[in-house]
């Protein structure tokens, strides 16, 4: 049996009882280590589960699936994913490989940012399409997420923006030379995300484009959701460009039309000067 | 402290370790009993937690919040919600009342249908706005969810349809007479949901309207997600009108544009005759 176990969002104790039982019963346990992170590392999880964990980086999951699935028809193997197992494409791929190899699988769900973001006070059924922001490079500065946010806003919907994570990335130089030297992990902050959005808005304003959102858009920044030191901050986009929410992971929500009950929830964590913008939309 | 604890989607063991510790430490534990259900009842949960549970129906949560929050500034109170605590509006209300009364609160997240539906193979970031279907009455047959589904489809997005739950409802007759007699609980099935959609499509076709979806739309029906006997069925809308997925809870997804990897996942649980429709969209 292949168990796909969601670890939730905070620390070792955010696993479900069912998930913990599965982990403890498995002969091999992999920890997916490139699409998200908890506030604790591999060692803390190993101690809590009483199990050795095998780190599964992108290479292993995408090219070494046979290794993960080896003997899983006769023994139990667990594949641990921060959040819920079906946040990222690559895990569908692992499931399909299991099924095609005649290996049964079972999913043990948990919270992911996709639903836990509701704790900021915005109603989940008022969210439109989720977008991803990637670290811009000199030559690659995609803007499609901005258009999706504007489309959601036009429809009155909020947008959850998932922010880029770079774990075990090679520099282009090292990749060209075939050197397996990896850059330190990078996690996009809310500031960086806000800065990207503001750059897009400025450029489009200069080009005379009609703007679907401006620097005054009410946004909600969340950091380390589900952890004891989680942070939630409601502010305008320009305010978020200079706020400090501490360590990873960060996510950003750009609001659409706000319901009075949503406004009241947002006020709890609002920058005082953002309240006027909240008030303006409070109808 | 007020703990809002998500119970996840299956049975008693889908609570997180952190959630279970909170429940066991609280002096009063309420079980929200009107927006969703697990596959096990109150007694099974009480036995598993080793705690007596107080059923919280809509009246108690919406009008008796003071009772729930009583002494929560000096003692710990838990409020248990199937899925994640922030699926339903009313729990924002409870949080706001706590905050206004100076009672600290903590959320312990868990899976909800909003993210767990990803296990059917459709990517969560390809979903648009979520819709709710309510039981039609003779005089009230809202259709706005149909328009939202079509809007999502036009944008290439999938739609999660949450299906109505009626727990502890009074008949209009009993309500008029002030009799506290309640109807048996009702849970909308996928068949009923498909039937409503087909009725809307037929009516609009007769009126010559351009259709955003037809009876051939590829849909995914899910039942008892996260439970040992969960069911996932990919079929056309008309096929779903006559399928039997067993007991509650049911949800329905109307697909938008399908990615090849999504198609491959959907094939695993597809009605053979629905495969041609999947194939048609496989590009």
């Amino acid at each position: 049996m292949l168990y796909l176990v969601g670890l939730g969002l905070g620390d070792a104790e955010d696993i479900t009882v069912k998930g913990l039982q599965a982990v403890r019963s498995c002969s091999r346990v992999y920890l997916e280590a490139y699409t998200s992170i908890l506030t604790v590392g591999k060692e803390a999880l190993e101690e809590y589960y009483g199990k050795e964990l095998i780190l599964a980086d992108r290479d292993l999951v995408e090219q070494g699936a046979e290794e993960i699935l080896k003997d899983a028809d006769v023994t139990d193997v667990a594949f641990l994913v921060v959040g819920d197992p079906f946040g990222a494409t690559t895990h569908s791929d692992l499931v399909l490989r299991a099924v095609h190899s005649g290996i049964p699988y079972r999913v043990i769900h948990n919270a992911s940012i996709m639903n836990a973001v509701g704790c900021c006070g915005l109603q989940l059924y008022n969210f439109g399409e989720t977008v991803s922001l990637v670290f811009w490079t000199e030559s690659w500065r995609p803007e499609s997420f901005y258009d999706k946010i504007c489309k959601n806003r036009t429809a009155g919907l909020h947008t959850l923006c998932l922010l880029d994570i770079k774990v075990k990335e090679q520099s282009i130089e090292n990749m060209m030379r075939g050197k397996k030297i990896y850059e330190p992990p990078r996690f996009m902050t809310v500031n960086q995300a806000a800065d990207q959005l503001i750059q897009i808005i400025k450029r489009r304003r200069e080009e005379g484009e009609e703007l679907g959102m401006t620097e005054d858009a009410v946004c909600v920044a969340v950091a380390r959701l589900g952890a004891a030191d989680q942070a939630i901050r409601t502010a305008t986009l320009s305010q978020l460009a200079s706020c400090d929410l501490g360590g990873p992971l960060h996510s950003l929500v750009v609001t659409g039309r706000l319901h009075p009950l949503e406004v009241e929830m947002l006020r709890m964590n609002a920058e005082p000067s953002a309240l006027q913008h909240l008030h303006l939309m409070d109808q």
Side-chain angles (χ1 to χ4, degrees), chain A:
Chain A
M1 175 79 82
L2 171 69
Y3 287 98
L4 293 115
V5 182
L7 300 185
L9 294 172
D11 56 37
E13 294 181 344
D14 284 299
I15 194 170
T16 64
V17 176
K18 195 176 277 174
L20 185 58
Q21 287 168 353
V23 169
R24 290 191 171 151
S25 74
C26 281
S27 56
R28 290 200 313 284
V29 183
Y30 294 88
L31 173 64
E32 189 265 72
Y34 61 97
T35 61
S36 191
I37 55 160
L38 291 176
T39 56
V40 296
K42 173 170 170 279
E43 292 70 28
L45 295 179
E46 286 180 324
E47 195 184 326
Y48 188 75
Y49 304 151
K51 278 276 178 184
E52 197 182 321
L53 302 184
I54 306 162
L55 276 186
D57 59 18
R58 193 185 293 273
D59 283 353
L60 179 59
V61 177
E62 292 182 358
Q63 284 139 47
E66 306 79 43
E67 191 182 322
I68 295 174
L69 297 174
K70 190 165 170 265
D71 302 328
D73 50 342
V74 290
T75 185
D76 287 341
V77 174
F79 185 77
L80 312 186
V81 183
V82 173
D84 189 69
F86 282 92
T89 314
T90 39
H91 308 142
S92 291
D93 199 59
L94 186 65
V95 167
L96 286 168
R97 281 165 185 269
V99 171
H100 294 156
S101 307
I103 296 165
Y105 75 97
R106 176 127 190 239
V107 180
I108 300 179
H109 292 288
N110 210 319
S112 73
I113 183 71
M114 305 289 279
N115 71 324
V117 72
C119 73
C120 73
L122 297 171
Q123 298 296 329
L124 290 180
Y125 45 76
N126 292 339
F127 279 74
E129 186 179 359
T130 298
V131 304
S132 294
L133 272 70
V134 295
F135 282 115
W136 279 351
T137 64
E138 270 183 37
S139 57
W140 195 54
R141 302 162 64 92
E143 297 192 354
S144 57
F145 66 91
Y146 170 84
D147 298 303
K148 286 183 180 173
I149 293 171
C150 294
K151 200 168 169 186
N152 282 340
R153 275 172 73 86
T154 305
L157 301 172
H158 315 312
T159 310
L160 171 62
C161 306
L162 303 176
L163 308 187
D164 203 2
I165 293 178
K166 293 281 185 207
V167 177
K168 225 179 162 182
E169 295 280 320
Q170 287 171 285
S171 66
I172 291 175
E173 202 179 16
N174 282 327
M175 206 187 292
M176 304 266 280
R177 291 179 181 170
K179 286 191 182 167
K180 294 249 170 195
I181 299 173
Y182 302 102
E183 304 297 305
R186 288 190 300 157
F187 306 95
M188 189 186 285
T189 62
V190 159
N191 319 43
Q192 292 170 313
D195 183 61
Q196 276 196 7
L197 275 165
I198 289 170
Q199 285 191 52
I200 296 171
I201 291 167
K202 281 189 177 153
R203 193 185 63 68
R204 298 203 181 193
R205 183 182 285 124
E206 277 167 19
E207 289 178 3
E209 209 175 288
E210 200 179 326
L211 294 173
M213 71 178 287
T214 70
E215 296 87 344
D216 286 338
V218 172
C219 298
V220 185
V222 298
R224 301 172 304 286
L225 210 68
D229 69 338
Q230 75 173 24
I232 301 178
R233 185 84 48 89
T234 302
T236 63
L237 185 65
S238 58
Q239 287 170 335
L240 289 181
S242 58
C243 76
D244 179 10
L245 263 72
L249 296 177
H250 292 192
S251 301
L252 176 70
V253 181
V254 182
T255 62
R257 194 166 42 242
L258 292 166
H259 181 277
L261 192 59
E262 291 180 317
V263 170
E264 222 183 320
M265 285 288 285
L266 292 188
R267 276 188 211 284
M268 292 199 299
N269 305 296
E271 293 281 328
S273 54
L275 286 173
Q276 55 175 323
H277 296 282
L278 272 176
H279 183 69
L280 279 174
M281 306 179 75
D282 182 6
Q283 48 199 338

